[in-house]
């Protein structure tokens, strides 16, 4: 396996994709490529069928589903404990909505959310078997990633949205739905540092920023050479033009953790377990010593102090709602809060708990934290190319873990997150029988 990885890194991109073994690997990646490229399309590009809204990634998921079922039947893989945690958390979404809304509406609404997570995760579990598959995936998505990223500085510097208004005129503005989607024109032209907060084709500047910045550590550590690596790193850097605090936090974490990886390879007493233990101690100290706790301190990493205060209030009221409805949540119903607050929840993990109860969020967090820890632990002893990409993958998932406490994931970021989560599990646990 190490020889194959080294050969892959040394071959030109064209030979990687066109070789016989590469062709088979490419065919296996097609489902997650379809979902990923669907994530790059504006949410306004959608279908309305029987009262259900089908966005491009959801449509791609339905297209992929027959392949996924056939692949699983032809080449079954053993579900591991972490897969069980994940599937339990996703099924609980349907269970919670069924209790809140009744069998008919609950299955439809909860099923749509479950599909958005389950199909990308399972497709990635079936498609990505090793770091060679991961590198091929990164190479094949790099043109699309670079194309949408290039739109951000054009919008930001020109103070003009170039993509979403055109699709709004064609397909109509997004409805104000339980998934948090809105028309970009409703908020006018938000600016920071004298620049427009660009969105490109994404639903919100925050989503654009996290989507792009979260890919940076993967490309930086991938050992891929040539234009795919340049495209991927460039796209991650262009997340700056979202002017999003979450994107800046993601970029900071990427730089800081990659620097720490470089340093701990040269300073003997430093290690990833030491860093993890230190982070746990810091969080515990903040919970005990800071008036607003660790979440309140994290919420202050924003341009607008008023926004930080609002997020702290969301946490306070939201946790009360979770305590009142810990097992099944309240669905899309508005949680109890001050009368002047809007119903948005700028915290993905809290949002899951409010909507579906603690079982869903705890199950997904177990899978996510386990994936991060196993990637770091299994990076030891690998040849340097694979060691670095394991660390880069762990950093990417850690970025999602942390930024999920400051923003709600919706739109394109949801399928991408679950593709990355499923791919990580495939790397760290034995898949085949």
């Amino acid at each position: 396996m190490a020889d194959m990885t080294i050969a892959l890194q040394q071959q030109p991109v064209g030979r990687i994709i066109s070789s016989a073994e590469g062709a088979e690997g490419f065919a296996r990646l097609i489902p997650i490529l379809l979902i990923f490229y669907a994530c790059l399309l504006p949410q306004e590009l959608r279908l309305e069928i029987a009262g259900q809204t089908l966005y491009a990634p959801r449509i791609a998921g339905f297209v992929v589903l027959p392949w996924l079922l056939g692949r699983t039947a032809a080449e079954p893989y053993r579900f591991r404990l972490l897969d069980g945690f994940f599937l339990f958390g996703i099924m609980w979404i349907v269970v919670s909505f069924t209790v809140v809304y009744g069998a008919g509406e609950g299955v439809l609404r909860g099923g749509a959310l479950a599909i958005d997570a389950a199909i990308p995760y399972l497709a990635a579990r079936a498609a990505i078997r090793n770091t060679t598959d991961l590198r091929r995936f990164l190479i094949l998505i790099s043109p699309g990633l670079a194309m949408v990223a290039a739109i951000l500085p054009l919008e930001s510097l020109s103070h003009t949205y170039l993509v979403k208004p055109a699709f709004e005129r064609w397909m109509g503005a997004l409805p104000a739905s339980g998934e948090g989607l809105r028309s970009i024109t409703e908020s006018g032209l938000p600016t920071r540092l004298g620049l427009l907060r660009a969105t490109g084709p994404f639903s919100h500047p925050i989503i654009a920023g996290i989507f792009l910045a979260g890919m940076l550590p993967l490309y930086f550590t991938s050992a891929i050479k040539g234009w795919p690596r340049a495209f991927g790193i460039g796209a991650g850097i262009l997340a700056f033009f979202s002017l999003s605090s979450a994107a800046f936090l993601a970029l900071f974490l990427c730089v800081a953790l990659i620097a720490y990886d470089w340093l701990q390879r040269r300073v003997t007493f430093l290690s990833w377990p030491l860093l993890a233990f230190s982070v746990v101690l810091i969080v515990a100290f903040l919970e005990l010593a800071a008036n607003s706790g660790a979440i309140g301190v994290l919420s202050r990493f924003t341009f607008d102090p008023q926004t930080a205060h609002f997020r702290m209030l969301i946490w306070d009221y939201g946790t009360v709602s979770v305590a009142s409805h810990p097992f099944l949540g309240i669905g899309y119903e508005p949680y109890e809060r001050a009368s002047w607050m809007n119903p948005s929840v700028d915290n993905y993990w809290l949002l899951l708990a409010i909507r579906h109860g603690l079982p869903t969020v705890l199950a997904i967090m177990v899978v996510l934290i386990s994936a991060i820890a196993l990637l770091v632990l299994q990076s030891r002893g690998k040849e340097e190319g694979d060691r670095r990409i394991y660390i880069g993958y762990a950093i990417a998932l850690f970025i999602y873990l942390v930024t999920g406490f400051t923003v709600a994931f919706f739109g394109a970021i949801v399928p991408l997150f679950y593709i990355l989560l499923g791919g990580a599990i495939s790397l760290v646990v034995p898949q085949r029988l």
Side-chain angles (χ1 to χ4, degrees), residues 5 54 70 113 126 133 153 161 172 185 252 315 331 401:
T5 301
L54 302 180
L113 295 178
D133 290 330
Y161 288 121
T185 58
F252 169 78
W315 178 259
L401 173 64

Side-chain angles (χ1 to χ4, degrees), residues 367-411:
V367 180
L368 176 57
I369 293 173
S370 298
I372 294 170
L374 289 171
L375 283 166
V376 172
L377 291 174
Q378 293 186 18
S379 70
R380 300 174 179 177
K382 294 190 179 294
E383 63 88 20
E384 183 61 12
D386 279 358
R387 188 201 70 80
R388 292 192 73 230
I389 200 170
Y390 267 59
I391 294 298
Y393 211 145
I395 292 172
L397 292 181
F398 184 73
I399 285 172
Y400 280 98
L401 173 64
V402 174
T403 57
F405 283 104
T406 66
V407 300
F409 298 159
F410 60 90

Side-chain angles (χ1 to χ4, degrees), residues 161-343:
Y161 288 121
L162 301 175
V163 179
K164 292 179 68 65
F167 280 87
E168 285 185 4
R169 290 191 294 269
W170 177 29
M171 300 293 296
L174 292 170
S177 74
E179 296 181 46
L181 305 177
R182 299 289 190 275
S183 166
I184 193 64
T185 58
E186 287 184 8
S187 56
L189 296 174
T191 60
R192 279 179 180 164
L193 305 179
L195 299 170
L196 178 69
R197 298 186 63 195
T199 66
F202 300 104
S203 302
H204 193 279
I206 291 174
I207 301 303
I210 297 176
F211 191 102
L212 297 175
M215 299 301 293
L216 179 57
L218 280 170
Y219 279 97
F220 191 85
T221 61
S222 66
I224 296 170
K225 299 184 183 299
W227 57 262
R229 186 170 187 267
F231 281 5
I233 292 176
I237 293 172
L238 291 179
F240 168 86
F241 289 98
S242 69
L243 278 299
S244 163
S245 301
F248 286 1
L249 176 59
L251 292 172
F252 169 78
L253 289 173
C254 176
V255 172
L257 293 175
I258 288 175
Y260 181 83
D261 179 58
W262 178 87
L263 186 62
Q264 64 95 24
R265 298 283 290 177
R266 290 157 178 80
V267 180
T268 55
F269 72 87
L270 294 178
S271 67
W272 288 107
L274 176 63
L275 178 63
F277 180 70
S278 301
V279 170
V280 170
L281 283 182
I282 291 171
V283 170
F285 174 77
L286 291 176
E287 281 295 323
L288 295 173
N291 292 332
S292 57
I295 296 298
V297 173
L298 184 62
S299 296
R300 296 190 186 116
F301 285 91
T302 178
F303 282 100
D304 187 349
Q306 185 175 357
T307 301
H309 176 66
F310 184 73
R311 286 176 176 167
M312 196 60 240
L313 289 175
I314 289 173
W315 178 259
D316 290 340
Y317 283 106
T319 50
V320 170
S321 177
V322 173
S324 301
H325 308 275
F327 297 109
L328 295 167
I330 59 175
Y332 285 134
E333 305 305 308
Y335 67 102
E336 293 186 13
R337 63 197 186 281
S339 59
W340 53 269
M341 293 173 61
N342 69 50

Side-chain angles (χ1 to χ4, degrees), residues 10-28:
Q10 294 175 343
Q11 289 180 20
V13 172
R15 289 186 60 191
I16 293 172
I17 297 175
S18 63
S19 65
E21 191 254 336
E24 191 277 334
F26 169 76
R28 196 169 60 247

